[in-house]
Amino acid sequence: MATVTFRDESATGRPLDEFTLPGLPARISARELVRLRVREEVARHNAEPGSRFRGLVRPVAAEAELNGRRIDWERQADLAERAFQRNGFLLLVGERQIEDLAETVDLTADPVVSFVKLVPLVGG
């Protein structure tokens, strides 16, 4: 079992936020890592009603309104997968960039997983 630190970073590498999850398997797919991260951040948000959601992907306003600010983690995880595929964020395990969600990651070798949100340029 591995303890993993999930970290959000700016495009310049500045740490923005992080949290740690213990008890993860030593080897896991990148897809499962993204989904675990999203499930955890949604659970933390839903445990604090009224708090502003700070997550990998932003839920649509209608979801927050219809659910009384409770967010569906599976829907958010699906959105995160699509965002990854559209290059909405980079996924780094240690210093290595993950390019495919099917890729298997060894968490014992690199226990820091960084998510770097990319900001689209205006007109691009």
Side-chain angles (χ1 to χ4, degrees):
M1 301 304 256
T3 297
V4 175
T5 299
F6 290 93
R7 180 178 296 149
D8 287 341
E9 295 180 3
S10 70
T12 61
R14 183 174 55 92
L16 301 172
D17 196 18
E18 73 178 41
F19 63 90
T20 303
L21 280 181
L24 297 183
R27 295 181 62 77
I28 190 169
S29 74
R31 175 173 281 107
E32 291 172 293
L33 268 178
V34 169
R35 294 184 76 80
L36 278 170
R37 181 248 161 90
V38 171
R39 185 179 73 192
E40 179 66 20
E41 70 191 8
V42 169
R44 289 176 185 213
H45 170 79
N46 287 341
E48 293 184 37
S51 65
R52 184 176 153 262
F53 183 70
R54 292 177 29 190
L56 186 58
V57 292
R58 185 174 301 156
V60 294
E63 180 180 11
E65 290 173 17
L66 291 174
N67 295 324
R69 302 264 316 144
R70 293 195 59 80
I71 297 171
D72 177 359
W73 81 266
E74 289 176 314
R75 182 174 175 163
Q76 286 302 110
D78 292 343
L79 290 171
E81 283 185 40
R82 287 195 295 276
F84 176 85
Q85 292 164 345
R86 289 188 323 270
N87 297 319
F89 63 90
L90 298 177
L91 178 60
L92 305 171
V93 177
E95 297 295 318
R96 185 170 61 93
Q97 183 176 342
I98 304 300
E99 296 184 15
D100 188 334
L101 289 175
E103 189 173 333
T104 300
V105 176
D106 180 357
L107 295 176
T108 59
D110 293 309
V112 176
V113 178
S114 299
F115 294 80
V116 181
K117 293 183 186 180
L118 302 176
V119 178
L121 299 174
V122 175

